[in-house]
């Protein structure tokens, strides 16, 4: 396990779509372990593989309730709406309000390739949406609502 460098906004890797994980092997396990270590070291609540320069569909999240690893995640249901302040480990010294679903259900695989579903509300839903955006090459700054409504 190791701390990896977090890629910062402006690096083109953050704007690329991540590729599906097909090999559930030791290399993936090391990546997930390193991503968790990096997230905790940076005091984040989530980290996506593109944020450490790896274009694979892998995400780690921990909002304080325990580590969740999502491989090849997809949002399969969402409800409601919430607006709150977000920041990002790849976007230094900037936070802004973003509107996200208040509830999401995510279908994913674990580190061994087993399918599962997980639900999240409030901050968990926000974290899932934020990290899954990274897999599509989208930074939260692209979702910030402009002040002139």
């Amino acid at each position: 396990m190791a701390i990896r460098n977090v890629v910062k906004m402006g690096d083109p890797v953050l704007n690329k779509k991540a590729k599906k994980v097909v090999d559930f092997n030791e290399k993936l396990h090391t990546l997930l372990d390193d991503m968790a270590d990096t997230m905790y070291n940076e005091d984040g609540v989530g980290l996506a593989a593109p944020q450490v320069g790896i274009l694979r569909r892998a995400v780690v999240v921990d909002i304080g309730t325990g580590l969740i690893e999502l491989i090849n995640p997809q949002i399969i249901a969402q409800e409601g709406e919430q607006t709150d302040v977000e920041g990002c480990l790849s976007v230094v010294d900037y936070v802004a309000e973003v509107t996200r679903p208040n509830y999401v259900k995510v279908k994913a695989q674990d580190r061994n390739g087993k399918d599962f579903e997980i639900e999240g509300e409030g901050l968990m839903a926000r974290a899932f949406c934020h990290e899954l955006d990274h897999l599509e090459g989208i930074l939260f700054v692209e979702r910030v609502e402009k002040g002139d409504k």
Side-chain angles (χ1 to χ4, degrees):
M1 293 189 272
I3 306 298
R4 298 199 185 195
N5 290 327
V6 176
V7 175
K8 302 302 183 202
M9 189 167 75
D11 189 311
V13 75
L14 293 173
N15 301 114
K16 293 181 179 172
K17 195 169 180 173
K19 295 174 174 61
K20 183 176 181 175
V21 172
V22 293
D23 295 321
F24 294 83
N25 54 22
E26 195 56 42
K27 187 174 179 182
L28 173 65
H29 298 178
T30 299
L31 172 63
L32 291 167
D33 293 342
D34 289 356
M35 286 171 57
D37 287 348
T38 303
M39 174 186 69
Y40 292 130
N41 185 66
E42 297 285 334
D43 293 324
V45 297
L47 190 69
Q51 291 181 274
V52 293
I54 308 294
L55 281 173
R56 290 291 175 265
R57 301 185 77 75
V59 165
V60 294
V61 172
D62 187 347
I63 64 164
T65 56
L67 182 66
I68 299 167
E69 298 174 338
L70 303 171
I71 312 302
N72 300 321
Q74 295 177 289
I75 294 173
I76 57 172
Q78 62 184 43
E79 290 177 13
E81 189 176 274
Q82 60 169 313
T83 301
D84 206 346
V85 174
E86 282 186 32
C88 179
L89 298 178
S90 292
V91 181
V92 181
D93 297 329
Y94 179 75
V95 295
E97 285 193 344
V98 178
T99 299
R100 303 273 193 189
N102 192 54
Y103 162 87
V104 295
K105 180 187 279 189
V106 177
K107 178 182 177 183
Q109 292 169 287
D110 68 14
R111 63 171 43 215
N112 299 309
K114 183 175 187 256
D115 292 333
F116 71 96
E117 292 181 0
I118 187 167
E119 298 174 309
E121 282 190 79
L123 178 58
M124 185 70 81
R126 175 173 298 282
F128 287 160
C129 292
H130 179 111
E131 299 310 326
L132 270 63
D133 270 358
H134 277 297
L135 303 181
E136 300 301 320
I138 299 168
L139 291 173
F140 89 98
V141 295
E142 298 173 54
R143 299 227 185 255
V144 173
E145 295 176 23
K146 305 302 176 223
D148 45 47
K149 291 184 179 178

